[in-house]
Amino acid sequence: MGQRLAKPRTAGLLLSGATRSMAELAACEPFYAAPSGGTTAASYAHQAHAPSGFHEYTLVAKRDAGRDSKLLTFALPDTMPTLGASVISGVKVKQEVAGEELDKSYSPTSPAERTETFDLLVKAYTPRKGGGLGAWLCALEPGQNASMKVKGAKKIVNGAPLARNRFRRIGMLAGGTGVAPFMHLVATLLADPEDTTLLDLVVSHREPQDALLDAELAALAAASAGRLRVHHTFSRVTEPAAPPAAARSTGGDTFASTGAGRIDDALARAMLPSPSEDDVFILVCGTDGFVGDMAGPIERVYDDAGKKTKVQGPTLGVLGRLGFRPEQVFKL
């Protein structure tokens, strides 16, 4: 597949690589390390310094992040102290691939306050009509550009973005690359010295080689002083495996574990807060099929002009059977 070295579209957004070497940028702190100074309140709302519209960002490093997946590190222009993607938000990438103009949204995995660079987790799905943007991104080499725009924070709580300490406990169910926005969320909240939210994450993959950023998640859990529990489960693995991470009520210091099978009622009950607890919230992200199985499908409504709006719909599936109410669940 052909690649190109794109030119910056806006002179005011000179690429960071113009003043800092690629090696310096690629040697930045790992994205799971707390940014200097920790998270600030700006991470919870759309940041004013994020430019409007599409601009070019330069790839400075990439590495394997799981089967057919890459962690791509892009440089920020000197005019942007951080990406400006608040929790939970993302970027939209636009590119012509095989004669088609494609666009796709991605969640950064790096903390909201990360400076100089940001990271995207991208899976190279087999190119098809109307698809192939992930494969194009994964084929980029350092020094090449991708056109992106920063999106505003999702309004997930009563029509507003997530706020600091809004919930006592947040549970997350992720299918495959659906883990990306949750990496962004937990890395940002754990870096916030004023946030005390307890975080429970269950990630579903087909096989162990499909696991995405598992070492980074384990590092986050180990450094979280018990605030983050992580459990990976593999739908195509049948042999006995470790049980879910130790329940919070029992204490202990084991906060990352793996298991076999799909996310079912029993696993969700073991890993997530109870719907009867106060101040709890559950987030779900993955394919349409995964989201439907976990919480019921997202409904897509189109107006007369063809503009699409996503409607949460009722809480069904695993979470519905466990008794979670619609106001306790959000499907990303």
Side-chain angles (χ1 to χ4, degrees), residues 58-237:
T58 300
L59 183 71
V60 294
K62 70 176 182 179
R63 66 174 177 80
D64 291 336
R67 182 158 54 185
D68 300 324
S69 301
K70 301 289 184 183
L71 187 72
L72 305 177
T73 300
F74 290 90
L76 290 172
D78 293 326
T79 53
M80 292 174 62
T82 70
L83 179 62
S86 309
V87 291
I88 295 173
S89 60
V91 299
K92 178 173 283 190
V93 182
K94 182 171 64 174
Q95 173 64 32
E96 184 177 303
V97 177
E100 289 186 274
E101 184 78 14
L102 303 179
D103 63 72
K104 184 177 176 64
S105 294
Y106 292 91
S107 296
T109 53
S110 40
E113 296 290 329
R114 190 51 178 259
T115 60
E116 298 193 341
T117 63
F118 66 96
D119 299 312
L120 297 182
L121 175 63
V122 179
K123 191 172 185 66
Y125 292 104
T126 303
R128 54 178 174 76
K129 184 174 177 58
L133 189 53
W136 181 86
L137 281 167
C138 287
L140 287 176
E141 296 296 336
Q144 295 184 293
N145 296 347
S147 179
M148 312 181 202
K149 72 173 180 180
V150 180
K151 302 173 68 175
K154 286 184 177 293
K155 298 178 180 180
I156 64 174
V157 186
N158 297 325
L162 183 68
R164 172 186 278 156
N165 286 320
R166 173 61 181 82
F167 298 102
R168 183 182 62 83
R169 191 170 168 186
I170 295 177
M172 296 157 280
L173 299 177
T177 54
V179 73
F182 299 146
M183 179 69 80
H184 179 61
L185 174 68
V186 300
T188 300
L189 267 58
L190 292 176
D192 185 348
E194 297 187 30
D195 190 271
T196 59
T197 310
L198 299 178
L199 303 161
D200 301 284
L201 171 61
V202 186
V203 189
S204 175
H205 303 288
R206 292 182 178 181
E207 297 174 305
Q209 54 265 47
D210 295 312
L212 302 171
L213 303 177
D214 52 341
E216 287 78 5
L217 282 169
L220 276 170
S224 72
R227 287 180 58 198
L228 171 65
R229 293 192 307 158
V230 180
H231 183 78
H232 294 271
T233 188
F234 305 105
S235 62
R236 292 185 178 176
V237 173

Side-chain angles (χ1 to χ4, degrees), residues 21-30 60-61:
S21 72
M22 295 292 185
E24 289 173 328
L25 288 169
C28 287
E29 287 185 317
V60 294

Side-chain angles (χ1 to χ4, degrees), residues 249-291:
S249 59
T250 66
D253 57 1
T254 300
F255 297 100
S257 60
T258 59
R262 300 180 182 275
I263 300 176
D264 57 13
D265 297 13
L267 177 56
R269 186 180 293 109
M271 281 297 298
L272 300 180
S274 167
S276 63
E277 294 181 48
D278 294 331
D279 296 326
V280 300
F281 199 65
I282 310 298
L283 294 160
V284 184
C285 187
T287 63
D288 287 350
F290 176 84
V291 172

